[in-house]
């Protein structure tokens, strides 16, 4: 009896242990499945996975009908069945309705999964830059430059989460965002897609956005795969124009431009899009050094690299580093590119199939690319369920999401000047609203809104408020006079505007930029358009108090009209609820708390950043922006005290604890972004005069104090040394928070 019992136990133990030994983790299971699939694939099927085509290629000609895209079934079948296309992108001209997206994605997945030999699902990529801007009525957040002004990681994470949910609700599992290029060139028309000039801010906000989008598991039905872009160095073209050469020395590349991508790779972003331009004479799409040596090998990136729009071809027909379109394909793929956003034809497919068959591209390179692509398809859950989830429709653009969006705009908008506390304005007085940005929704949103350039004002949701409408609904139309007065580049009717200004108690003068996206937004001069400057001067002559509101994606130079303005508000591109948020701030229902994520230039050439070198701090070289990075006023005041360090000397491997007390010393509740800067007093390579190392946002009632704690480690003190490798050096450092300073020594 005992013997039988013992045998049973042994058998049980044997089976369990056996199971444990054989059991594979989900990761191993995924890898096995990918390998199995890969082995079955033909060269054509593999290359098809590496090819991405735009929606227009498989759609019927667009009629006048809005928001309805129709697939052309013959073209779609040709793409998926003949060319084995594995990815589509974009919208065909304008945003689609949720239903339209569902129908289209369902049709595509039906063909890909049911009518092909291997049933590999399509991965659809979209630019959801400030919300799902290509789905009608989505929640549209402030653009990234404005999100950076909030200094609020929770809001950025929430933006990521809500955008992911609304992407998935549209059936779209892959988002071409966040932009991780550090914005150090304000002329560049894509400046507003960045988180501004600071490296640390870009790293932190990028990471928060990715966490919000992907959660712990991007296969969940309300999460998406992010795409870091644009790798690398796109955000600092030498002449300020989009898609022009950058010259970035290795030290700068590694110290300023690479870290946000490194952090994002660590945060698990599984795809990356390549910079359309060139660095140091090498188009990035052809750079084995940047794509393979640094990204894939040094940073250990396991995901896939997608080209930007048409950029493989451009190696031949624009950059001329390839002598034929076919050579361009070989060059890009051998540099490490995994997927080509072709996007209008099948040339990439045809050339690459030929190149593999001719032995000019080894099949091992193709296998590596396809493995990476299939892995992401797997991770994002497409093999499990490639279809849009109808149950998410009810979670699309909810009131709750709208509140986060509005809160983001409120926390972004930055009060630059408030002479004699002109703001907030008295709701019972008469206000004259004027200027080219006063009564348009498009200007609040900028590019990537409903259409690529965001210009089609007639497509904007009419229930949303322009600045004028928001002010009218706040204080009653009877208290508001309006006259556009001036367009972006021409004065329309200055007399009428001046007359109405005279009849009012205050003027809200709304200036700034029209909408633009990418290269069409190129400008030669950062100065605000002369007509707007003249218009402002005419309004000032009335002697009425003027609040200048700047609605713009980059800091247009306004120095000659700042002196006479009583109040200046930087609105950036505050998104669909920007008008409402501005009215809340102008009339004091919300206390502003935004801080500039860039140095506002005083002159068209004044591009020195706050983290400049000592050499840029002297006499005629001195950093002298109109408003510095981090500037932003409140309707209350904050006092900083008792900055304390837990030690004066730190040794190798130790951390240092920092505490500071912040008090709301004014009369109103308010939010304050507390920023910790470090100065490395001496270094073997000249060090920035200060660098942001920590920040947090707090909410204080009048009279309330909070003590904030921060920890810094050795890594926070490292830099790229003379040998172009990260180094940490012994020496003296200073910590600055508010007006407080303390010092410590690092002894290695
Ligand atoms: C832009 C990218 C974008 C892509 C797809 C390109 O022109 O540079 O940022 O993701 O188009 O729309």
């Amino acid at each position: 009896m005992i013997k039988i019992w013992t045998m049973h136990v042994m058998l049980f133990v044997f089976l369990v242990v056996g199971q444990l030994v054989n059991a594979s983790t989900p990761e191993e299971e995924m890898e096995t499945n990918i390998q199995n699939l890969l082995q079955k694939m033909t060269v054509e099927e593999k290359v098809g996975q590496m090819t991405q085509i735009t929606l227009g290629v498989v759609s019927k000609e667009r009629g006048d009908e809005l928001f309805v895209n129709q697939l052309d079934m013959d073209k779609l079948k040709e793409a998926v069945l003949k060319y084995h296309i594995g990815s589509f992108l974009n919208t065909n001209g304008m945003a689609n309705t949720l239903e339209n997206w569902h129908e289209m994605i369902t049709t595509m997945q039906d063909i890909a999964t049911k009518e092909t030999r291997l049933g590999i699902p399509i991965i659809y990529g979209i630019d959801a830059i400030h919300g799902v801007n290509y789905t009608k009525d989505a929640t549209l957040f402030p653009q990234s430059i404005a999100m950076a002004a909030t200094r609020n990681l929770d809001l950025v994470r929430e933006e990521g989460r809500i955008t992911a949910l609304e992407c998935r609700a549209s059936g779209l599992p892959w988002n071409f965002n966040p932009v991780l290029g550090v914005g150090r060139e304000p002329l560049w028309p894509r400046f507003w897609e960045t988180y501004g000039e600071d490296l640390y801010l870009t790293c932190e906000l990028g990471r928060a956005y990715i966490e919000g989008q992907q959660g712990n598991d991007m296969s969940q039905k309300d999460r998406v795969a992010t795409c870091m872009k644009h790798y690398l160095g796109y955000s600092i073209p030498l002449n300020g124009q989009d898609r022009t050469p950058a010259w970035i020395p290795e030290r700068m590349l590694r110290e300023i431009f690479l870290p946000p991508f490194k952090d994002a790779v660590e945060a698990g972003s599984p795809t990356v899009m390549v910079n359309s331009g060139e660095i140091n004479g090498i188009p990035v799409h052809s750079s084995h050094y940047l794509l393979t040596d640094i990204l894939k090998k040094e940073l250990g990136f396991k995901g896939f690299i997608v080209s930007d729009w048409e950029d493989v071809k451009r190696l031949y027909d624009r950059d001329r580093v390839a002598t034929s379109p076919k050579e361009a394909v070989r060059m890009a793929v051998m540099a490490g590119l995994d997927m080509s956003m072709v996007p209008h034809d099948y040339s990439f497919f045809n050339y690459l199939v030929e190149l593999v068959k001719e032995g000019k591209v080894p099949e091992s390179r193709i296998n590596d690319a396809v493995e990476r692509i299939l892995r992401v398809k797997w991770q994002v859950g497409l093999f499990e369920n490639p279809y849009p989830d109808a149950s998410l429709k009810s979670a699309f653009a909810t009131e709750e999401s709208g509140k986060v969006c509005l809160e983001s705009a409120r926390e972004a908008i930055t009060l630059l000047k408030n002479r004699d506390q002109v703001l907030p304005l008295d709701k019972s007085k008469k206000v004259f609203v004027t200027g080219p940005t006063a009564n348009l929704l498009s200007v609040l949103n900028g590019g990537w809104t409903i259409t690529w350039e965001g210009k089609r004002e007639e497509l904007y949701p009419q229930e949303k408020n322009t600045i004028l409408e928001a002010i009218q609904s706040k204080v009653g139309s009877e208290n508001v006079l309006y006259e556009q007065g001036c367009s972006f580049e021409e004065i329309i009717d200055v007399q009428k505007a001046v007359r109405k200004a005279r009849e009012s108690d205050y003027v809200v003068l709304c200036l700034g930029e029209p909408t633009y996206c990418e290269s069409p937004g190129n400008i030669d001069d950062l100065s605000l358009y002369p007509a707007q400057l003249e218009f402002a001067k005419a309004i000032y002559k009335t002697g009425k108090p003027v609040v200048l509101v700047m609605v713009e994606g980059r800091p247009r130079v306004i120095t000659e009209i700042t002196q006479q303005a009583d109040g200046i508000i930087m609105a950036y591109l505050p998104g669909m609820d920007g008008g409402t948020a501005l009215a809340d701030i102008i009339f004091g229902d919300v206390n502003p708390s935004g801080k500039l994520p860039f140095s506002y230039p005083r002159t068209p050439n004044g591009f020195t950043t706050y983290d400049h070198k000592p050499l840029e701090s002297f006499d005629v070289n001195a950093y002298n922006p109109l408003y510095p990075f981090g500037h932003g006023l409140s309707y209350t005041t904050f006092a900083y005290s008792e900055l304390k360090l837990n030690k004066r000397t730190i040794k190798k491997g130790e951390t240092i604890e920092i505490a500071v007390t912040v008090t709301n010393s004014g009369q109103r509740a308010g939010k304050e972004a507390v920023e910790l800067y470090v100065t490395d007093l001496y270094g073997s390579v000249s060090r920035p005069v200060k660098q942001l190392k920590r920040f947090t946002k707090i909410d204080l009632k009048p009279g309330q104090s909070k003590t904030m704690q921060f920890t810094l480690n050795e890594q926070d003190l490292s830099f790229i040394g003379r040998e172009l490798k990260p180094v940490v050096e012994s020496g003296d450092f200073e910590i600055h928070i508010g007006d407080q300073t303390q010092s410590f020594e690092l002894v290695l």
Side-chain angles (χ1 to χ4, degrees), residues 89 127 176 190 229-230 243 273 308-309 341 518:
L89 86 151
D127 293 282
F176 301 142
R190 307 193 72 170
K229 67 187 197 186
H230 306 80
R243 291 179 161 89
M273 191 184 295
D308 201 343
W309 189 268
M341 188 188 286
E518 304 187 40

Side-chain angles (χ1 to χ4, degrees), residues 67-352:
F67 301 117
V68 180
N69 189 79
Q70 285 185 339
L71 290 173
D72 180 318
M73 291 308 286
D74 291 339
K75 291 182 183 164
L76 180 61
K77 288 202 171 184
E78 181 185 38
V80 181
L81 303 181
K82 179 167 171 206
Y83 292 102
H84 315 282
I85 297 304
S87 182
F88 290 88
L89 86 151
N90 210 11
T91 187
N92 189 17
M94 67 185 78
N96 297 306
T97 59
L98 267 186
E99 286 67 30
N100 198 192
W101 275 124
H102 276 229
E103 266 170 42
M104 290 193 291
I105 305 283
T106 304
T107 309
M108 287 179 165
Q109 299 295 23
D110 272 345
I111 298 176
T113 60
K114 295 180 187 153
E115 295 185 34
T116 65
R117 203 170 65 88
L118 298 170
I120 301 173
I122 300 286
I123 186 162
Y124 204 109
I126 201 78
D127 293 282
I129 305 299
H130 64 129
V132 194
N133 35 259
Y134 283 158
T135 302
K136 191 177 183 284
D137 297 330
T139 308
L140 291 188
F141 286 83
Q143 296 282 3
S144 294
I145 196 72
M147 291 305 293
T150 69
R151 300 293 202 272
N152 189 331
L153 287 173
D154 293 337
L155 285 176
V156 173
R157 208 172 283 114
E158 276 294 277
E159 180 203 2
R161 183 186 66 78
I162 292 165
T163 304
L165 189 151
E166 296 190 12
C167 263
R168 277 290 179 142
S170 313
L172 305 165
W174 181 25
N175 182 13
F176 301 142
N177 211 33
V179 168
L180 299 173
V182 184
R184 290 174 84 91
E185 167 50 273
L187 260 185
W188 187 46
R190 307 193 72 170
F191 184 75
W192 48 266
E193 293 181 58
T194 75
Y195 290 124
E197 79 185 30
D198 183 56
L199 162 67
Y200 179 73
L201 200 54
T202 305
C203 290
E204 290 299 291
L205 300 185
R207 189 185 272 274
Y209 186 88
I210 291 165
E211 285 166 7
Q213 293 245 294
Q214 300 187 174
N216 296 328
D217 173 4
M218 60 183 133
S219 73
Q220 280 174 9
K221 65 177 192 177
D222 53 358
R223 303 290 182 172
V224 297
T226 53
C227 182
M228 312 168 260
K229 67 187 197 186
H230 306 80
Y231 179 86
L232 184 69
Y234 184 28
S235 55
I236 189 162
L238 187 65
N239 69 11
Q241 313 288 323
D242 189 35
R243 291 179 161 89
T244 54
W247 294 87
I248 311 177
E250 187 79 7
R251 179 185 317 289
M252 192 193 247
L253 198 77
R254 288 184 171 276
E255 197 151 284
I256 296 174
F257 295 101
L258 192 59
F261 289 92
K262 180 173 184 286
D263 282 13
V265 169
E266 277 165 22
S269 182
T271 72
V272 66
M273 191 184 295
V274 183
N275 166 8
S276 272
E278 61 174 60
I279 303 180
N280 307 336
I282 313 289
V284 183
H285 284 80
S286 70
S287 172
H288 188 273
Y289 175 61
L290 293 176
L291 302 188
T292 299
D293 297 344
I294 296 194
L295 183 60
K296 289 184 175 172
K297 294 195 180 146
E298 194 180 312
L299 303 191
F301 176 62
K302 298 273 182 294
F304 71 83
I305 304 179
V306 61
S307 80
D308 201 343
W309 189 268
E310 268 192 326
D311 279 326
V312 175
K313 284 183 181 171
R314 287 179 181 148
L315 293 177
Y316 162 70
D317 62 20
R318 185 191 64 185
D319 302 322
R320 301 181 180 212
V321 289
T323 51
S324 68
K326 186 167 167 181
E327 173 59 10
V329 170
R330 195 199 62 81
M331 235 182 200
V333 173
M334 291 315 291
L337 188 82
D338 302 307
M339 181 185 282
S340 173
M341 188 188 286
V342 190
H344 295 295
D345 57 42
Y346 301 104
S347 55
F348 174 86
F349 174 91
N350 290 326
Y351 290 135
L352 189 51

